[in-house]
Amino acid sequence: MTLACPRRGATLVLLALLVLLLSGLPFQLIPAAAGPVPQPPVGAPDPAAEAPSTPESAQEPGTELVVVDEITPWLDPDGALRVSGTVINRSDTDLRTPALELRMSTDRLDSRLQINRWSERGGRHRILAASTDTPPDDADGAPQVPDLPDSLAPGQVAEFTFEVPADRLELPTSSPISAWGARGVEVALSGRTDSGAVAGSATGFTTWYPDPDPDPTSITLVMPVTLPGFSSTGLLPQETLEQAAGPEGPLTALLAAAEVDPAIALAIDPRLLASIDSALRASEPAEPEPSAPLPTGTAAPSEPSELVTEPADGTDPTPLLRDWFTRFADLAEGRTLIALPWADADLASLTEGDLDGLAERAQEDAAIVTEMFPQARTDVVWPVSGTVTQEHLPDLVTPDTNTVVVSDLQQPALTGYTSDAHSTVTVAAGPEDGTGADDSGSRAAADDPGDGSGAMEGGARDTSAGSPRILDSLVVDTGLYDAVATAGAAGAPAAAVSEYVAESSAITAERPYDSRHLFVTLPRTAADSSWRDIAEATRSAPWLAFRSVDALLEGQPVSRAPVVASTRRTGLTAEAITGLRSAHSAVGDYAAVFSDADSARRDLDRMMLGCAQAAWADAPNRAECTEALDTEVAALTSSIRPEEGSPVLLVTGERTTIPIRVENTSGRPATVTVRVTAPTPQLRTAVSETVELSPHESTRVDVPVEGLANADLITRVEIVADNGYVVPHTGELMVRVRADWENIGTAVIAAGLLIVFVVGLAKSVSRGRRKIPKSQLEAAMARAQQNDRG
């Protein structure tokens, strides 16, 4: 037989061992962190600090040459007309020989139309005094006139003051009731620049009151207690609140205005109360003083650590806010309080824009006000002026609603004079709760017995299911409201306040011995100093008398026209509603990924309602709020996502897991599962176990998979909520599947052994048999013959 060469045989054995060793290597997966291709991070600073606490005025920057800072709103024969202000040279050259004249209308302005005309373009007048006048030697009783410089440089400002005693005004006193009324006042400027003659003027009013002794007109003022502004958390930041409670802040201005008279009603925004509650609790000193009580009754925010942090040294970072709330709580005792929806949302625009769920959330949160102030009324609905329609009125009222606030443009008076503010509206029955609008309008006078018996306690006349309801309506006087709004928007509110007083005198003079009750709301913005001016002017005017909301509702309602759609709509625009609808849908679905989905939806709704405030209706910077909201929504809906990972190599026939890292950049815990989906059947996948992602952390999640056949697959990594919702940010992962590595290894070993056998056999055959030596052959033959003989 032939034998293989020992050296070559050793080589073949080594080759076989190498194949065997390689076939035993477990090709199951190459360790790698799996995940998607990274997405650009979406993030933005908290816009609450950038968004203004109050919407900017709609008024363009002033170009006036004359600005009136002070004007006597009304005067009697013992008073004096005082008008002061500033002259501003807005040209590029010197204003030479500037001169001022103080003018007064020659006619009594005894109607609103005449008052509005004077405000817009002046009218017939006479000169009361001029800056060029030279006071006589016996200056006692003579008008005080300003002494202007010979010229004003570009941008230079000069102050002026006119003061004219009442006996120099030449106003009649013989017939007080006919002489009483508003007079137009105008300060006119003249001068010259290099470009030619310059002229400018500022108008206002004073009301002459020679003691006619009319029956006072009752008036009810409602002041919103709110602080507009967007916040990503839904609550106003601590710093914003502390600043607002400072000496020049809007919360301080609100207290100053409301303290003028206890009959002033306060409409309270629950967002402001919840924000104050959160700020005070978070900033409470280590040893709270009994003299600084905290508000109670509101739920703490779900993420207080993101709003404020308790100071390490135990100091109180909110002393002004704490003091403000103590004063406010005392002020609220004993007066009418009205609970507003969250952020004083524009409910009518929300319901018309198919955002009923957001409107319901805002209305439900009104309970925060009653938790803190149990006496607050929740039966009053106050839509934005001009937004009430018969179609959507049922969506605004609830079974508990007794009173709706509308403007006199939507529920006009049926008389030729200003009517009482207390009327009624008819709301037709809805399919479920008995609410709904009816085209019948308000109740006719013939339907009322005249003795008040038609009114039920609380204001609702009929609340039986399936039948119309007659609710009280409080009708806002638009003319007075416009004057109040102008005062808040103007840099110098004196002229607007004087117009407010003038209009109120014209209303009273319409029927001086027939007392009526007016209703005026202040702008739904943060308070300013003009609010106190309005309140003090109301209290000081002898023909006006403060009355409470309750007193107004206790009076007999008057007949007014049915509610009509107003051409002067001031609610949120269709564009704004479309943006809110899109954002609400996105965050409403996304909230399912959070462990406490209901709490997340509540807080996210509150965040969005910050851009649905009534204060944004006419604000030119409303787009800033919308942009801030869009940024927050984009950041939120990308806060939970897979992280980037390396490609994965899998062995078919083996069940294993792929590690996926998932990041949670939100401030809330999330409960999700992770799944990997393949485009073809070569890879079988399953869903991971449910995992909880902590806030601001990333976690590894193992996803079960099984390779079935050779393929290079780009799989999709998805994060899924408990209800099946898939977050919009997914990832891609390359998975390389290789067919049956174990069978391939066995085949390689067998093939190697077969090669060794075949090679050896071939070598043996090719070499043939070896020859036996002759001597050995002859000896063998001899032994064989001997054996045969024996």
Side-chain angles (χ1 to χ4, degrees):
M1 59 180 273
T2 59
L3 299 176
C5 175
R7 185 174 299 175
R8 293 183 179 178
T11 303
L12 292 174
V13 171
L14 291 175
L15 177 61
L17 291 175
L18 179 61
V19 172
L20 180 63
L21 177 65
L22 292 175
S23 66
L25 184 65
F27 288 102
Q28 293 184 2
L29 66 87
I30 298 175
V37 177
Q39 301 291 334
V42 181
D46 188 347
E50 299 177 2
S53 59
T54 59
E56 295 177 1
S57 166
Q59 190 175 14
E60 294 293 330
T63 57
E64 302 88 351
L65 302 179
V66 182
V67 177
V68 173
D69 299 321
E70 178 187 357
I71 184 170
T72 305
W74 68 274
L75 73 158
D76 57 21
D78 297 327
L81 173 62
R82 179 181 174 88
V83 181
S84 63
T86 55
V87 175
I88 307 172
N89 180 11
R90 298 189 182 277
S91 68
D92 297 330
T93 61
D94 289 351
L95 175 61
R96 298 185 296 275
T97 63
L100 291 174
E101 290 183 348
L102 177 62
R103 303 169 177 174
M104 178 175 282
S105 62
T106 55
D107 300 322
R108 181 182 67 146
L109 309 179
D110 58 358
S111 70
R112 294 193 184 197
L113 179 61
Q114 291 179 323
I115 291 172
N116 292 335
R117 285 177 177 174
W118 177 270
S119 180
E120 293 173 358
R121 55 180 180 269
R124 294 192 303 173
H125 61 270
R126 55 193 176 89
I127 299 174
L128 298 180
S131 61
T132 55
D133 292 346
T134 301
D137 294 337
D138 57 341
D140 293 342
Q144 177 184 343
V145 296
D147 183 14
L148 297 180
D150 294 335
S151 67
L152 293 176
Q156 185 177 354
V157 176
E159 298 181 351
F160 68 85
T161 297
F162 287 100
E163 188 167 318
V164 183
D167 57 4
R168 296 293 187 100
L169 294 176
E170 301 180 0
L171 295 175
T173 59
S174 58
S175 178
I177 197 67
S178 60
W180 166 49
R183 264 68 176 179
V185 176
E186 181 181 26
V187 179
L189 168 71
S190 62
R192 297 194 65 84
T193 66
D194 292 348
S195 301
V198 172
S201 66
T203 59
F205 303 88
T206 191
T207 299
W208 176 238
Y209 189 78
D211 199 15
D213 195 26
D215 289 342
T217 296
S218 299
I219 189 167
T220 296
L221 288 184
V222 176
M223 294 183 177
V225 183
T226 186
L227 200 60
F230 175 77
S231 172
S232 61
T233 63
L235 298 178
L236 298 170
Q238 183 190 73
E239 297 78 7
T240 300
L241 295 169
E242 180 69 3
Q243 184 177 10
E248 304 299 326
L251 292 180
T252 302
L254 170 72
L255 282 181
E259 288 171 345
V260 170
D261 196 281
I264 296 174
L266 302 175
I268 305 176
D269 178 359
R271 184 180 75 154
L272 178 61
L273 293 186
S275 300
I276 292 174
D277 179 67
S278 173
L280 295 185
R281 290 178 185 274
S283 64
E284 183 177 2
E287 297 181 2
E289 300 177 3
S291 59
L294 292 176
T296 58
T298 58
S302 57
E303 300 172 3
S305 60
E306 293 191 359
L307 294 175
V308 291
T309 56
E310 185 171 351
D313 58 0
T315 59
D316 184 4
T318 57
L320 298 176
L321 181 62
R322 195 175 299 276
D323 177 68
W324 180 89
F325 184 79
T326 300
R327 293 174 56 195
F328 178 77
D330 293 339
L331 179 74
E333 291 294 333
R335 70 171 65 207
T336 302
L337 305 179
I338 298 172
L340 293 174
W342 183 271
D344 189 22
D346 180 0
L347 298 179
S349 295
L350 291 177
T351 55
E352 290 182 23
D354 295 327
L355 283 168
D356 303 77
L358 204 55
E360 290 173 4
R361 175 80 70 184
Q363 289 176 302
E364 290 171 359
D365 283 340
I368 294 175
V369 178
T370 56
E371 289 174 1
M372 192 173 294
F373 299 103
Q375 76 273 26
R377 300 184 62 146
T378 58
D379 63 333
V380 179
V381 173
W382 181 11
V384 176
S385 178
T387 59
V388 178
T389 64
Q390 291 287 355
E391 178 185 1
H392 292 285
L393 184 58
D395 300 323
L396 300 179
V397 303
T398 68
D400 297 329
T401 301
N402 292 322
T403 306
V404 180
V405 177
V406 296
S407 74
D408 58 5
L409 297 179
Q410 294 200 268
Q411 199 175 12
L414 298 176
T415 59
Y417 54 86
T418 303
S419 185
D420 273 358
H422 181 200
S423 185
T424 59
V425 292
T426 300
V427 182
E432 296 180 359
D433 57 9
T435 61
D438 190 322
D439 291 338
S440 61
S442 60
R443 179 179 53 192
D447 295 335
D448 194 286
D451 58 0
S453 60
M456 297 174 61
E457 184 177 358
R461 271 67 178 180
D462 189 351
T463 59
S464 57
S467 62
R469 298 173 61 199
I470 300 177
L471 305 181
D472 287 305
S473 63
L474 298 179
V475 184
V476 179
D477 189 284
T478 302
L480 296 180
Y481 170 81
D482 287 347
V484 171
T486 301
V497 174
S498 70
E499 183 173 354
Y500 167 82
V501 174
E503 285 211 33
S504 70
S505 71
I507 293 171
T508 305
E510 291 172 347
R511 300 174 70 84
Y513 303 113
D514 179 13
S515 180
R516 283 150 294 149
H517 200 144
L518 306 179
F519 183 69
V520 180
T521 60
L522 276 78
R524 302 168 87 154
T525 63
D528 58 63
S529 60
S530 70
W531 289 23
R532 181 179 179 88
D533 296 338
I534 291 293
E536 290 182 336
T538 303
R539 185 183 61 178
S540 67
W543 60 90
L544 295 177
F546 266 123
R547 294 289 185 270
S548 67
V549 169
D550 291 341
L552 175 57
L553 289 172
E554 288 171 359
Q556 182 67 27
V558 299
S559 296
R560 282 180 172 265
V563 173
V564 296
S566 174
T567 57
R568 183 181 171 183
R569 181 184 173 90
T570 58
L572 297 175
T573 63
E575 178 185 4
I577 291 298
T578 299
L580 283 173
R581 189 187 304 115
S582 175
H584 186 249
S585 175
V587 300
D589 293 338
Y590 197 87
V593 304
F594 296 116
S595 301
D596 189 346
D598 292 339
S599 174
R601 288 191 180 93
R602 179 202 65 195
D603 293 345
L604 294 174
D605 282 352
R606 289 176 173 179
M607 175 188 74
M608 281 179 291
L609 286 168
C611 285
Q613 291 173 270
W616 295 114
D618 291 328
N621 62 335
R622 177 193 54 77
E624 296 178 10
C625 188
T626 303
E627 292 171 3
L629 176 62
D630 291 343
T631 299
E632 289 300 322
V633 170
L636 174 73
T637 54
S638 63
S639 60
I640 300 176
R641 65 173 88 190
E643 293 182 354
E644 179 185 11
S646 303
V648 171
L649 179 61
L650 294 177
V651 178
T652 61
E654 289 292 330
R655 295 180 180 178
T656 184
T657 60
I658 295 178
I660 305 291
R661 293 205 67 85
V662 179
E663 181 183 19
N664 179 9
T665 61
S666 75
R668 298 176 180 275
T671 302
V672 297
T673 57
V674 181
R675 70 186 179 198
V676 176
T677 60
T680 59
Q682 284 95 330
L683 181 66
R684 180 183 297 164
T685 64
V687 181
S688 73
E689 295 182 354
T690 300
V691 296
E692 181 169 310
L693 307 175
S694 300
H696 306 295
E697 289 184 3
S698 61
T699 304
R700 168 176 164 160
V701 181
D702 293 326
V703 181
V705 296
E706 181 181 358
L708 301 178
N710 275 0
D712 288 344
L713 304 175
I714 298 180
T715 61
R716 182 183 181 90
V717 180
E718 297 177 331
I719 300 175
V720 187
D722 290 341
N723 67 348
Y725 170 76
V726 180
V727 301
H729 277 260
T730 59
E732 292 182 351
L733 176 65
M734 170 66 76
V735 179
R736 295 187 176 95
V737 183
R738 293 297 174 259
D740 261 348
W741 282 99
E742 292 86 348
N743 295 337
I744 293 174
T746 302
V748 169
I749 294 173
L753 295 176
L754 180 61
I755 290 172
V756 172
F757 174 76
V758 172
V759 170
L761 180 62
K763 290 289 186 181
S764 298
V765 173
S766 64
R767 290 178 180 178
R769 291 186 177 181
R770 283 184 156 185
K771 292 182 179 181
I772 302 175
K774 184 178 180 182
S775 58
Q776 294 180 6
L777 180 60
E778 291 176 349
M781 291 294 293
R783 286 192 298 271
Q785 291 176 359
Q786 186 177 358
N787 292 334
D788 290 339
R789 288 194 299 265

